[in-house]
Amino acid sequence: MSSTNNHNSTPDYTMGYGRDYIDFLLQAPENEINVLLQPFLAPGQCVLDLGCGPGHISIALARSVVPGEMYGVDMEPSQVELAQLLAAEHGVINATFEVADATLMPYDDGYFDIVNCCDILAYIPDTAAALSEARRVLKPGGILHCREMIIGSSFVFPENKDLNRGWEIFSELLQADDGHPQIGKELQFHLEKAGFTNLQVSPTFETYSGSESVDAFYRLVKGWFLSDEMTKAAKTYGTAIEEDFNRLVKSLEDWRNQPGAIASIAFGRVLGFA
């Protein structure tokens, strides 16, 4: 398994929190909550959104459990601030957002009915510690829902070697930062190891097709992945050189204008019981 434990690593987020990435997340509809989880959400529950980011999923979770409570945690203060602003903007009053480490959270044992964990385990060096903490804060029989990427199965079409190299750079950069770019296909293994039972596994693709959707994906890659912050990180870690990015920019422009252009990000999804 690629997501081995590394107790000497400190969780961080080399990928950054650029405005383009945040805007991209905020475009996600409320049905971003996976169909695996939605049937288990009920009014009055206490729910945790682990790695809440700017709160785009948290808001939908909070609305699903009114008059219950939704807590969102993220290690990055700027994301917590954005989530708080988003909740206020949408009039959501049962959402609380806090800065916290996913491997050491400020909640009592058995506090939550449900923990939602989307696109965060890929960035945490110690997978076992994060899942152990999620299980600790869940009530007996509580539910953990995870969705994590599988970069090796993601694709664009029409494809070429430079665009494929883009996926490789992303994967290598994440690995260099002690992350796990393929963890979506390992989720069942990790949840079983952490003691979760009755696992429901549902891999899926998040696909961008049609001019408007393709343009959104294009803006994300160009404004976030090809930003100075990201390219500098890749060069610092030695996962790419300037010429890699120059070729990727040109190929991305060409791809965007191709008939039938699509982009698809692969995810593993698993729901399990504590």
Side-chain angles (χ1 to χ4, degrees):
M1 296 293 169
S2 65
S3 47
T4 54
N5 297 337
N6 187 339
H7 296 281
N8 296 317
S9 300
T10 301
D12 59 12
Y13 190 33
T14 292
M15 301 305 166
Y17 292 97
R19 183 70 251 175
D20 292 274
Y21 185 59
I22 293 169
D23 288 343
F24 186 79
L25 290 177
L26 293 178
Q27 291 173 14
E30 289 192 4
N31 64 9
E32 175 69 19
I33 300 174
N34 184 246
V35 292
L36 281 177
L37 179 59
Q38 189 65 58
F40 297 97
L41 292 167
Q45 289 177 329
C46 191
V47 178
L48 174 67
D49 192 12
L50 186 57
C52 64
H56 60 298
I57 296 177
S58 308
I59 299 305
L61 288 169
R63 286 173 168 159
S64 296
V65 299
V66 172
E69 298 178 315
M70 194 294 309
Y71 289 82
V73 299
D74 199 283
M75 66 172 291
E76 174 56 48
S78 66
Q79 293 299 279
V80 170
E81 292 173 7
L82 284 168
Q84 290 168 337
L85 289 171
L86 188 67
E89 178 185 336
H90 287 267
V92 175
I93 62 174
N94 64 326
T96 300
F97 296 96
E98 301 180 279
V99 177
D101 183 339
T103 64
L104 188 63
M105 291 187 285
Y107 304 114
D108 293 337
D109 295 358
Y111 193 78
F112 295 101
D113 296 289
I114 292 175
V115 172
N116 183 61
C117 176
C118 289
D119 305 316
I120 178 176
L121 294 177
Y123 303 99
I124 298 175
D126 194 340
T127 305
L131 291 176
S132 175
E133 184 70 346
R135 191 165 186 263
R136 180 188 70 79
V137 300
L138 275 169
K139 297 175 181 178
I143 294 170
L144 174 68
H145 169 248
C146 295
R147 185 196 78 161
E148 295 291 335
M149 61 186 147
I150 310 171
I151 295 302
S153 299
S154 302
F155 65 91
V156 296
F157 177 87
E159 63 178 316
N160 63 47
K161 63 179 182 180
D162 295 322
L163 292 177
N164 289 339
R165 176 64 181 136
W167 294 114
E168 292 172 359
I169 293 170
F170 182 92
S171 180
E172 291 166 4
L173 177 56
L174 193 50
Q175 283 184 298
D177 199 39
D178 300 312
H180 320 295
Q182 314 304 333
I183 195 170
K185 62 184 178 182
E186 304 167 3
L187 287 176
Q188 178 173 317
F189 167 82
H190 290 294
L191 265 68
E192 285 180 349
K193 191 174 179 182
F196 290 92
T197 61
N198 299 322
L199 303 185
Q200 299 179 27
V201 182
S202 178
T204 188
F205 285 90
E206 187 174 277
T207 300
Y208 305 88
S209 62
S211 59
E212 185 175 338
S213 185
V214 165
D215 281 347
F217 185 83
Y218 164 83
R219 290 193 302 272
L220 170 69
V221 176
K222 189 171 182 180
W224 168 65
F225 185 63
L226 296 176
S227 67
D228 290 342
E229 180 183 14
M230 289 287 285
T231 57
K232 181 181 179 181
K235 294 171 188 175
T236 299
Y237 279 111
T239 62
I241 60 175
E242 185 68 27
E243 185 57 29
D244 288 322
F245 291 109
N246 291 338
R247 289 196 298 265
L248 183 54
V249 168
K250 183 181 184 305
S251 295
L252 186 67
E253 294 281 357
D254 292 342
W255 165 80
R256 178 193 189 190
N257 297 309
Q258 289 288 323
I262 64 170
S264 198
I265 304 173
F267 291 94
R269 296 180 189 255
V270 179
L271 184 147
F273 294 81

